[in-house]
Amino acid sequence: MRFNRILLSGTLVAVALVIQVSVLGRLQLPGAVPDLVLLTVVALALVYGPVGGALIGFGAGLLADLAPPADHAAGRYALVLCLIGYLVGLVRPDTGRFRSAWGPMLTVVAAAMSSTLLYAGVGALVGDTAARHVGLVGLLFTATLYDLLLAPFTVPFLMALARRAENDPMAVEANGGPPQGKDVASGWLAGGTGLRIGSQRGGLRLKTARGRANRAGRIKGVKGVKSVKKL
């Protein structure tokens, strides 16, 4: 991985882990807890691909395993997030763009459910049966719900930040113009709100150009009339 990717990914994962432990972990919500670390891995994997997603997932999971108040074996969540990061990176389109907001939303849902199932499965292998007592179905539902509600406020921002940090051509085209098509992050926001920001900017530019042309035509017409009167 590039140095700027490592630096940005480490910073984002560290911030997400601090918020996860100090804020989200103390909300005392029913069932699961919103997993900001998972959403950070998903966002970066959608930008960096499967290899980068796997490396970031392993590092983020290992930090989560060691951060207090961890009550499970070290490496358990690292394995889960490593697999999630790799699989999410495979889902990333070749162009890096989803055609609608459903793509990222379904990716978050699949990642939340898969991480819960994998975590419970690895726990069963090492003799941890806490998920059975809490209720696996309830954990699946609440984890998916919380992550899906938190994702629109985090994933698009993290993806746009990752692209801008490495001067991705999808963030800024080589010719200096706006990116063609929809980016994953911008497409999610635009698809969720029903707004098309790019087309609106193009329409405003076209209206401005037409207004200038009309004013120029009127000025020329007035000058022509005045010259005829003088003759």
Side-chain angles (χ1 to χ4, degrees), residues 112-125:
M113 296 182 66
S114 299
S115 63
T116 304
L117 292 175
L118 287 173
Y119 188 82
V122 175
L125 292 177

Side-chain angles (χ1 to χ4, degrees), residues 3 5 33 51 55 96 105 114:
F3 177 75
R5 289 187 178 186
V33 177
V51 177
L55 294 176
M105 290 174 64
S114 299

Side-chain angles (χ1 to χ4, degrees), residues 100-214:
S100 66
W102 289 105
M105 290 174 64
L106 292 177
T107 302
V108 171
V109 171
M113 296 182 66
S114 299
S115 63
T116 304
L117 292 175
L118 287 173
Y119 188 82
V122 175
L125 292 177
V126 297
D128 185 1
T129 59
R132 298 180 181 178
H133 302 289
V134 176
L136 184 58
V137 177
L139 286 177
L140 277 173
F141 176 77
T142 53
T144 304
L145 179 61
Y146 296 154
D147 291 345
L148 190 59
L149 292 176
L150 184 61
F153 303 99
T154 56
V155 175
F157 170 75
L158 295 175
M159 292 176 65
L161 186 61
R163 292 196 186 283
R164 185 176 296 274
E166 64 175 6
N167 295 324
D168 194 295
M170 287 180 56
V172 178
E173 290 292 331
N175 58 1
Q180 301 296 327
K182 292 183 178 180
D183 186 8
V184 180
S186 61
W188 191 348
L189 292 176
T193 57
L195 298 177
R196 295 182 179 178
I197 300 175
S199 61
Q200 287 181 353
R201 289 179 178 175
L204 290 175
R205 291 176 180 175
L206 182 59
K207 290 180 180 179
T208 303
R210 289 178 178 176
R212 291 177 179 175
N214 292 334

Side-chain angles (χ1 to χ4, degrees), residues 65 95 143 154:
D65 288 331
T95 59
T154 56

Side-chain angles (χ1 to χ4, degrees), residues 62-73:
L62 187 60
L63 289 177
D65 288 331
L66 299 177
D71 56 352
H72 55 270

Side-chain angles (χ1 to χ4, degrees), residues 75-99:
R76 180 176 172 183
Y77 202 45
L79 175 61
V80 172
L81 287 187
C82 180
L83 293 175
I84 294 297
Y86 181 79
L87 294 176
V88 171
L90 292 177
V91 174
R92 176 183 180 271
D94 295 335
T95 59
R97 301 182 179 100
F98 285 101
R99 295 183 178 180

